[in-house]
Amino acid sequence: MTIANPFPNPYGGLQPILDWQAAFIEGLMQAQNFQLQMLAVWNPPFAAVNQDLWDQWVSRFGGGVPLDG
């Protein structure tokens, strides 16, 4: 015995194409999420290098040792 679907598919034969499109976009979103996670992991080391370079510049050209608050 098969139960009839009370909500018929309005897209008919286009449903496989729409499913493929949704899967493709989901893959792109997962790839972008992975890229943002990698960026978040790399951000603190780059910030530390930037701070070190700034401290060296201030020590050399700014007239003294930088005081961290």
Side-chain angles (χ1 to χ4, degrees):
M1 179 171 150
T2 305
I3 298 174
N5 187 356
F7 304 107
N9 186 355
Y11 300 111
L14 292 177
Q15 192 61 44
I17 296 171
L18 296 174
D19 290 342
W20 179 87
Q21 182 183 20
F24 181 75
I25 291 174
E26 179 67 26
L28 289 177
M29 296 298 285
Q30 287 177 355
Q32 186 178 26
N33 187 20
F34 184 65
Q35 289 174 340
L36 290 173
Q37 288 175 356
M38 289 190 304
L39 180 64
V41 168
W42 275 94
N43 195 23
F46 284 134
V49 168
N50 186 33
Q51 184 65 44
D52 186 52
L53 291 174
W54 176 250
D55 290 345
Q56 289 180 18
W57 186 90
V58 168
S59 296
R60 176 77 168 100
F61 300 107
V65 177
L67 300 174
D68 294 333

